[in-house]
Amino acid sequence: MKILHIVLLSLAVTTSVWSQAGSQPVATLAINDLLNRPDYMMYVSDHFTGFHYAEAAAAYGALKYARVSDNQALSEKLLERYQVVPGTDQLLEDDHVDANVYGILPIERYFTNGDTEALNTGLALAEEQWENPQDDGLTRQTRYWIDDVWMIGALQVQAYRATLKPVYLQRAAVQINAYLEKLQQPNGLFHHGPEAPFFWGRGNGWVAAGLAELMSELPPEHPLYDSINQGYQKMMAALLQYQADDGMWRQLIDYPDAWKESSGTAMFAFAMAVGVERGLLGQSQYQPAVDKAWQALQQRVTEDGQLTDVCVGTGQSQDPNYYLDRPRITGDLHGQAPLLWLAATRLTKEK
């Protein structure tokens, strides 16, 4: 009994320390985990082989957190890790959303240390997406996968943040509005695909995060503001209904018996946190949901800074059991990334 008491006390102290200190301990643990990885995550497929978008997304979040927290030591270590990145020399030739989204990372490097060469790399990837666009003005990389709301939107928004040129916001707005019109379901959520009529957590997470990135910059006077804001508000309201009592969201959002999944939870909480911070969502309604999600996520971070219960990469299926039976893993960068976005956003609000 004495041993059990000590173990329980230790767990309580650990949770208490994290809760009292805000977002910093968990974020620092996650960044150190990223820095300590001996290899880079690589993507190998029939359409693109190179540096994986999930590590680009995680590094983007890590650099943003280090910058917002004024942690020069972490910034320098991250800049060193991503000074020369394998699998990035052919990204323009690959010409695919999974390749181009890497541009968010060199632009974030520019925000951190003023590296204009890195900025030019990111802008070149953003510009390429609108070379020879479709007749409707959308990028030729359009494929109407829900992931693209973040993949395309985040890059164009980053390019806008670095240059303040309205053309980048215009591209993101036109693209995301088209995806909303085509893919958003009456309940506000998104099917994984036309042949996969299920509300998969992380797939919807990419949409929520992409909408938040755009809405954080899109001015109210933009012609598409009302349309996109309506889609964003509708999605956030739907998500609020499906959050579990402990703050988590599930692998299939509307399946009450589905397991609780961490990457989608972090993405949804990030999207809501941005909305509250920018005055787009009511604080009294949405901040408690963000706080509950953050507490639940903290409890799922190991001592080594790795988030547990992250769904592996998942294709589309007509069988709900395919989603429900997907393996859950620890430390996958699809989960580490939004954990860091959320931490950076919470820190911005605290400051």
Side-chain angles (χ1 to χ4, degrees):
M1 290 295 294
K2 182 176 181 181
I3 294 176
L4 177 60
H5 176 73
I6 293 173
V7 170
L8 290 174
L9 179 62
S10 175
L11 288 173
V13 169
T14 300
T15 302
S16 175
V17 169
W18 285 357
S19 299
Q20 291 173 16
S23 56
Q24 184 171 355
V26 167
T28 302
L29 286 172
I31 293 173
N32 284 331
D33 166 71
L34 187 62
L35 291 168
N36 289 332
R37 298 191 181 211
D39 301 310
Y40 297 86
M41 188 175 182
M42 305 301 288
Y43 194 98
V44 180
S45 71
D46 56 358
H47 60 267
F48 162 58
T49 298
F51 186 63
H52 202 290
Y53 63 79
E55 181 155 358
Y60 158 72
L63 273 171
K64 179 175 288 189
Y65 180 86
R67 176 165 55 86
V68 171
S69 62
D70 299 320
N71 193 324
Q72 188 64 32
L74 276 183
S75 292
E76 290 177 357
K77 291 176 182 177
L78 288 163
L79 290 170
E80 181 179 358
R81 176 175 174 86
Y82 296 106
Q83 177 68 44
V84 179
V85 183
T88 60
D89 53 335
Q90 298 292 322
L91 294 178
L92 288 171
E93 290 80 358
D94 288 315
D95 188 19
H96 190 278
V97 289
D98 291 341
N100 286 69
V101 71
Y102 165 74
I104 61 173
L105 177 52
I107 294 176
E108 195 62 35
R109 284 182 59 89
Y110 166 74
F111 291 142
T112 302
N113 69 349
D115 185 344
T116 55
E117 183 177 348
L119 172 62
N120 290 335
T121 296
L123 293 180
L125 289 164
E127 288 292 342
E128 186 195 36
Q129 286 187 322
W130 259 264
E131 291 177 1
N132 303 315
Q134 298 179 169
D135 292 341
D136 57 6
L138 303 183
T139 171
R140 67 180 182 278
Q141 294 181 357
T142 300
R143 55 183 183 169
Y144 287 110
W145 288 24
I146 54 176
D147 316 43
D148 299 349
V149 175
W150 190 86
M151 298 289 181
I152 296 172
L155 175 57
Q156 295 299 320
V157 170
Q158 272 286 83
Y160 167 76
R161 289 172 177 151
T163 66
L164 299 183
K165 292 182 178 180
V167 63
Y168 296 113
L169 270 190
Q170 176 66 13
R171 292 171 179 172
V174 170
Q175 191 77 24
I176 288 176
N177 190 63
Y179 273 53
L180 286 172
E181 289 181 346
K182 189 176 181 70
L183 301 176
Q184 191 168 33
Q185 301 302 307
N187 70 351
L189 301 178
F190 294 76
H191 286 159
H192 193 194
E195 304 301 323
F198 304 106
F199 302 120
W200 177 45
R202 187 163 66 240
N204 277 264
W206 289 120
V207 178
L211 285 169
E213 291 279 15
L214 176 58
M215 290 303 299
S216 71
E217 303 293 347
L218 194 66
E221 62 270 18
H222 190 279
L224 293 175
Y225 180 91
D226 289 344
S227 175
I228 297 170
N229 184 48
Q230 182 180 7
Y232 169 66
Q233 297 282 345
K234 190 175 182 180
M235 185 182 198
M236 295 302 103
L239 289 170
L240 206 57
Q241 298 175 26
Y242 289 110
Q243 188 178 28
D245 290 341
D246 66 353
M248 296 291 288
W249 278 273
R250 300 180 185 278
Q251 166 74 345
L252 289 179
I253 297 171
D254 59 337
Y255 276 53
D257 295 328
W259 54 278
K260 296 169 182 176
E261 201 276 330
S262 295
S263 66
T265 294
M267 290 175 171
F268 298 147
F270 164 75
M272 290 180 180
V274 170
V276 171
E277 193 267 330
R278 295 302 176 109
L280 301 169
L281 299 176
Q283 181 167 355
S284 62
Q285 187 177 16
Y286 285 92
Q287 189 61 49
V290 175
D291 292 341
K292 283 200 303 182
W294 178 245
Q295 291 299 322
L297 289 166
Q298 286 188 102
Q299 293 170 16
R300 286 169 168 79
V301 176
T302 69
E303 293 181 356
D304 297 327
Q306 296 194 343
L307 186 62
T308 63
D309 297 321
V310 178
C311 178
V312 298
T314 296
Q316 298 180 12
S317 175
Q318 296 183 338
D319 180 5
N321 290 316
Y322 167 77
Y323 296 92
L324 298 175
D325 294 338
R326 297 300 285 164
R328 58 190 94 177
I329 56 179
T330 296
D332 188 281
L333 291 173
H334 288 89
Q336 303 293 107
L339 180 73
L340 289 166
W341 308 342
L342 176 57
T345 300
R346 287 180 64 82
L347 191 60
T348 300
K349 185 176 185 297
E350 290 167 8
K351 295 179 71 174

